[in-house]
Amino acid sequence: MTDQHPDLDALRAANPDHWRRATAIRALTLDAVAAANSGHSGMPMGMADVATVLFEKHLKFDASRPEWPDRDRFVLSVGHGSMLLYSLLHLTGYPEMTLDQIRNFRQLGSITAGHPEYGHAPGIEVTTGPLGQGIANSVGMAIAEEILRERYGRKIVDHYTWVMAGDGCLMEGVSQEAITLAGHLELSHLIVMWDDNGITIDGKVSLSDSTDQKQRFKAANWDVIEVDGHDPVAIDAALTDAKKGKKPTMVACKTHIALGSSAQDTSKGHGALTDEKVIADTKRAYGWDQAPFEIPADLKAEWEAIGARGSEARAEWEVRFADLGQGKRGEFERTLRGDPARKLSATIKAMKRQLAESQPKVATRKSSEMVLEVVNPIMQETVGGSADLTGSNNTLTEGMGIFSAENRAGRYIYYGIREHGMAAALNGLALHGGIRPYGGTFFCFTDYARPAMRLSALMGVPVTYVMTHDSIGLGEDGPTHQPVEHLAICRATPNTNVFRPCDTVETAEAWELALTSARTPSVLALTRQGVPTLRTTFSNKNLVAQGAYTLADTTEGKRLVILMATGSEVEIAMKARDILQADGIGTRVVSMPCWELFEAQDEQYRKKILPPGPVRVAVEAGARMGWDRWLFGERGKRDKGAFVGMEGFGASAPSDELFEHFGITAEAVVKAARAML
Amino acid sequence: MTDQHPDLDALRAANPDHWRRATAIRALTLDAVAAANSGHSGMPMGMADVATVLFEKHLKFDASRPEWPDRDRFVLSVGHGSMLLYSLLHLTGYPEMTLDQIRNFRQLGSITAGHPEYGHAPGIEVTTGPLGQGIANSVGMAIAEEILRERYGRKIVDHYTWVMAGDGCLMEGVSQEAITLAGHLELSHLIVMWDDNGITIDGKVSLSDSTDQKQRFKAANWDVIEVDGHDPVAIDAALTDAKKGKKPTMVACKTHIALGSSAQDTSKGHGALTDEKVIADTKRAYGWDQAPFEIPADLKAEWEAIGARGSEARAEWEVRFADLGQGKRGEFERTLRGDPARKLSATIKAMKRQLAESQPKVATRKSSEMVLEVVNPIMQETVGGSADLTGSNNTLTEGMGIFSAENRAGRYIYYGIREHGMAAALNGLALHGGIRPYGGTFFCFTDYARPAMRLSALMGVPVTYVMTHDSIGLGEDGPTHQPVEHLAICRATPNTNVFRPCDTVETAEAWELALTSARTPSVLALTRQGVPTLRTTFSNKNLVAQGAYTLADTTEGKRLVILMATGSEVEIAMKARDILQADGIGTRVVSMPCWELFEAQDEQYRKKILPPGPVRVAVEAGARMGWDRWLFGERGKRDKGAFVGMEGFGASAPSDELFEHFGITAEAVVKAARAML
């Protein structure tokens, strides 16, 4: 039936009330896209029936309290269909989603951006648009729900994550990482509604894909249900069934993109329908005769009743929540706000005090583990994991427990060889609330995780990426595994704090900042190889918070040289300083563990740390890109600067030999400084 | 049977000659890893039987002529098992893979890097290590074979692509993009041998995955065969069957990682077995009593006979090739060498001459299409495609034909929504030889393609990435689709030419450079929005080849200002210059379409273009990262500089409004210049 041109009159006649409600979505979509003269009409037109049934009969929400923690999450993975979401939020009565906002679709300053942007308005659970991300974020959301349900009980946490995904989402590789992880973990509260419309931008899906999606999901341990995506009764039954399974469920919704328009079932229908006649004809076919943006009052009231459908459940939940013990309630609220544990600061300080004594020589990945060992016990909201490099990333600490289908109390996730899926899941864990996630892989595989890491930054979610093996210092694995440009990549990305600590003390301070961050993700670039403790004096203050600071200064005479370094190269800078100072050349070493935080300091502080006058040498086992800013860009006076680092890709050899081979040594730093004096 | 501890004596007794040959691989692996004190022993030990049968009975190759164009391609997607490949190359007699190289496994300067590095030695068809890449590269190789087979006939091109992939490869999302594309295209000459050993670094696969891989591949339109990976007779039968199918075939090889050692079937066995006793015990279990690195002469002779097995077929092929018409032979050889068509230079010049007349105002993505329209007809080796954005990337030109299961003559590929899979396939197309591939997506989705783009650069394959919608200039789609940091990302990557042309003339020159590049991939960052022709005077020389050049100079008086810009912002710089010049402020505009090529010029040229003295303003609708180098880093004198560009993410609004909103305007440039004068 659904392969033929559907009979709209018959559909309307069969379920007139439903039809009218769904048509409101379609009409608002047509009007908003026409007004913006851009956007995507076809997906909301095709999935309006499924969305209507979902919101009317299944989604647990209360439009007046979008932040209700036990609401169902609705993820529009197919983000270009943003007007579907905006229409639903407007119709059901989310206060901020006014008709004016709909009218200003895709305009500067409106909350109705081209793709849903997290933070623009309540009800937008996640930023989507880059395909495949939403479905992968939803895995993290569903994991968060399982963990918190286990911790607080079904009376407090018991909700579903509903995802709308398109062919694009399912073609993206990250979707495979997501669904295999979800299937393995048996995330039964995760339901994906696949908009099976057979169309992509280039034409029919059959131009580029022949995948049996249903078989594919079954192979990933999912339940699969098929449904006619324009039959509200069938949809209702399918969504009802979907909630019953013990596995995640994929509901394949056979739909017609741009339903009822002349562009139906074509790639033209995927984009913006802006032709006046097409719009008029389509509305006529719907039996819709309202003026643009006009929703009849009774219909709006129907929709608002749907928006209020969950208010009773929400009120009951509040009573149950009030009945929780004060301790649990406080913990729930604190972790939902994202506040760190009260003990965190004191714990880090105690650790630093101890480190000033013990002065370990360890890899900073090991330092990171030492921090996690004291932090994880006092912050139950941390959920860690690694993309199959647990023993290398040092991300698992005692007592966390492994999260699995059998153990929902576990706080550590074996993500498998799925860096991208992991990063997207971390976003979902953070977005859900109540969880502060971190995940590890090799720094070089930032490349795989990139699309999701960018979204952490864009959404402003405080995920922590534990990126070990952060330079040629990893040695024999060679150039495929040796990051060179990755510090530049992360630093070029807005709203991302990139920490490259030089020792255990800086690692502890970096972790403290990561764990207290409210709206900025953190990347910890950590060594494979051992480094000495360089901050040998206890400091009450978190010096990494200033981004850069003077680690060692000129002891006598004029300051002629400033050496700037991060991570494992701070040790090299310190050795170079020893040589220079021995020759009577006054030398300061500035450790720069976080450029972004240094940039955020006032000019006075920056000038204090990097005063004009001395020649500057930067040393970092990575690409030069970005260093000129600190070598030259902030000067008030003519000075000279040089960079000691990588010019190309690395090589396969023992670490020490590589530093020699690529000339990243104290001697090279000394030579560069001398050449300018 | 294979789930139990295998009886090595029984295996040996059943096929003693095979066993001895396979053991040579295992012994060399153990010895090399022990000598390096690092590496991965388990995979070569587990897959030695499959590899032995493959090389002995199926792989078409001639060790004495590794570059024979019609050889089968062997792709070790599971790159950490590099000793498997090195052992095979050594044993079969590839001249460069000497025993000394094996002894120097993972040492500086050896060709036996930790992971196989393309270019280090003949027989290494591709750089692998980042998991999932090899299987995705192989799709491009198999496409290349289909296209060339169609073009030159079975007598000249008729070979298979054999891939060894592990659980890691199959968990990576890119593998899904690869296998669904391969299945859709019915690449029957592609055979993947899955090392089904049930082990990853973190432990058993069952810790992180429950996927039914066989069902998954079937869902992707593959044939699937299962085999005991230690039974040579069964392996031979399976590989024989694999070649017969009309679809790509996945051979699930049930194996024991680190076979025969105490670490067998454990994650410990995945890594380096270096304990002397373990090695001795394992060799004893194998019945191997040679000294380290010692291969008995008769056994080496057996292996060398395998290496020479294809020499007759190769000689016959050479006769057939000599029989090809001279034109076809010349074309085959030229494209294999990667030389551009002889007509290319004249064609580009003719186009430039015509552009000086017509001076079109078009988006540079359209300019790119105009170039492809004249280039594709004269260079039959170009194979284009897009990740489902054909009409937006402007990558398809008339007469290319669509490559599909039915049409192997097509030169255009609908890659679907698979940016990562596309980029990896582009690498494979280029690596195969005879093809010069390009592929398009939105510049922002560089993020998805990143892991493969890095490998283009590391391997030095001249892939061209057509990246359109290169800034906030794309408008309403908003920050998820607006690149900000992506120019910095590409520029920070070694051996990558990043072109951001300002008009059609520069686009033509950039394409000429991309199409003549031998060892460097090119990224073309192209606008969505229209830009005027700014190079209005015909130049015989390719000015983009110098990286940066003076587009317009001070007309009278002293040169006080230099404006540097790329792409769509060159127009802004030109407008700013008009304003400044009108005020008597001498101003030069430097167009910098390719930083890398500018950096490669001698200092004299660089100083000529960017002389000390004038204040400098850089304008680019992207992140500042990297610009300080040109603002300050190359000066001999104290000067001032400013950057006009993006500080954070973009927004959703019409393009013109965004440039205003983010202050990327001629007025802002003028203001920045004035402030420094």
Side-chain angles (χ1 to χ4, degrees), chain A residues 145-158:
Chain A
E145 196 262 349
E146 292 282 356
I147 290 175
L148 297 177
R149 177 150 38 88
E150 177 74 18
R151 190 169 299 166
Y152 293 99
R154 281 188 181 278
K155 292 187 173 177
I156 302 301
V157 179
D158 190 11

Side-chain angles (χ1 to χ4, degrees), chain A residues 131 173 177 184 200 210 419, chain B residues 172-173 177 184 210 388 419 448:
Chain A
L131 294 173
E177 300 183 22
H184 174 70
T200 74
S210 307
E419 299 83 6
Chain B
E172 290 287 1
E177 300 184 23
H184 173 70
S210 308
D388 198 44
E419 300 82 7
Y448 283 86

